[in-house]
Amino acid sequence: MQVVYEDNHIIIVYKESGEIVQGDKTGDEPLSETVKEYIKEKYHKPGNVFLGVVHRLDRPVAGLVVFARTSKALSRLNEMFRKGEVHKTYWAITQNVPAEETGTLTNWMTRNEKQNKSYAYDREVPGAKKAVLKYRVIGHSDRYHLLEITLLTGRHHQIRCQLAHIDCPIKGDLKYGARRSNPDGSISLLSHRVQFTHPVSGKEIDIVSPLPNDALWQSFIDCQYPLLSSQ
């Protein structure tokens, strides 16, 4: 767990792949408890430490997670997330490349709770919810491609499902059609950037995640936005 921003009302941390944000049936210690311990020790707080979970990342995903340190920030952040006022950008590594360099994907998605998996359709089907994201291809390596994704809706496994639907599954994501797993069990999806107006102070928050400590991710450092810089 790496703290990338903190003040009296919010704290933003970098989550490693494999960590869970909130407790689940596995019984593994969640990131929320790790952050509570950090706050307790750093500020010598007695008793229980307040920490509000306002959004989550799938276990195999790395990147930025925002927590609320006060009830005021929690209620306001919850409302901001509901209204789409918190802007999150993701990076994904895929082996296949979309037909178009930039685009908008619009699908209707259903969720299978038993499988913990979502399905995307090109037309509306019973029980489905509309899912929209924008993407652009921003980098290439010898075998892989780097996509930047902006979510316009927040559906279960939305990025993973919609990219798989256009035959661009995320590297390592066996559940959605990747050819093989990553050695560490991660998928190559990163919560890369978060932007919002601070719920209490009103200042603009714009935080960028470090890249995972992985050779493939690190290979994209020197070629960030090569397609844009060449235009």
Side-chain angles (χ1 to χ4, degrees):
M1 191 272 295
Q2 178 182 342
V3 177
V4 292
Y5 176 86
E6 66 178 306
D7 61 32
N8 291 335
H9 293 280
I10 64 174
I11 182 168
I12 303 174
V13 304
Y14 171 80
K15 180 185 96 67
E16 299 279 359
S17 63
E19 290 184 304
I20 52 174
V21 174
Q22 209 167 17
D24 64 10
K25 60 185 179 182
T26 65
D28 296 339
E29 179 168 294
L31 183 62
S32 56
E33 289 302 315
T34 305
V35 176
K36 282 183 182 180
E37 285 300 314
Y38 163 83
I39 294 171
K40 188 180 182 71
E41 291 179 12
K42 180 174 181 178
Y43 299 102
H44 308 291
K45 286 186 171 290
N48 293 328
V49 172
F50 178 89
L51 191 75
V53 177
V54 294
H55 71 115
R56 298 165 182 80
L57 290 182
D58 296 340
R59 186 166 194 156
V61 179
L64 301 176
V65 182
V66 181
F67 293 98
R69 290 191 55 195
T70 62
S71 58
K72 178 189 289 188
L74 176 61
S75 61
R76 293 181 182 179
L77 278 171
N78 280 336
E79 183 69 5
M80 290 167 65
F81 269 95
R82 188 185 69 80
K83 291 181 176 179
E85 295 173 351
V86 178
H87 304 289
K88 293 184 292 179
T89 305
Y90 293 80
W91 279 7
I93 297 174
T94 63
Q95 188 158 16
N96 298 336
V97 66
E100 303 291 336
E101 292 285 332
T102 64
T104 299
L105 302 183
T106 302
N107 298 107
W108 282 262
M109 289 178 55
T110 61
R111 179 178 180 179
N112 186 310
E113 296 278 357
K114 188 173 182 180
Q115 296 178 326
N116 188 32
K117 186 175 180 180
S118 292
Y119 294 85
Y121 300 89
D122 294 324
R123 57 180 177 79
E124 191 169 2
V125 298
K129 295 180 178 179
K130 191 175 184 179
V132 186
L133 64 77
K134 291 184 177 181
Y135 74 87
R136 57 178 177 166
V137 182
I138 60 171
H140 302 284
S141 70
D142 292 340
R143 296 174 55 201
Y144 297 100
H145 311 278
L146 181 64
L147 277 61
E148 183 176 78
I149 296 130
T150 302
L151 282 177
L152 302 184
T153 55
R155 308 301 180 204
H156 175 257
H157 291 180
Q158 181 178 336
I159 297 172
R160 301 166 66 181
C161 184
Q162 286 192 279
L163 288 184
H165 189 67
I166 60 167
D167 195 31
C168 292
I170 294 168
K171 182 180 180 294
D173 197 358
L174 294 179
K175 177 170 283 192
Y176 288 96
R179 299 172 191 174
R180 59 183 63 87
S181 61
N182 288 341
D184 61 359
S186 69
I187 65 173
S188 300
L189 179 62
L190 176 72
S191 174
H192 173 251
R193 186 178 184 182
V194 63
Q195 300 163 280
F196 59 95
T197 301
H198 194 287
V200 180
S201 71
K203 75 175 182 178
E204 294 303 313
I205 303 294
D206 187 350
I207 304 296
V208 173
S209 170
L211 292 185
N213 186 24
D214 167 89
L216 181 57
W217 278 110
Q218 296 297 323
S219 73
F220 283 107
I221 289 179
D222 295 331
C223 64
Q224 283 184 23
Y225 303 102
L227 299 178
L228 299 179
S229 62
S230 64
Q231 293 176 358

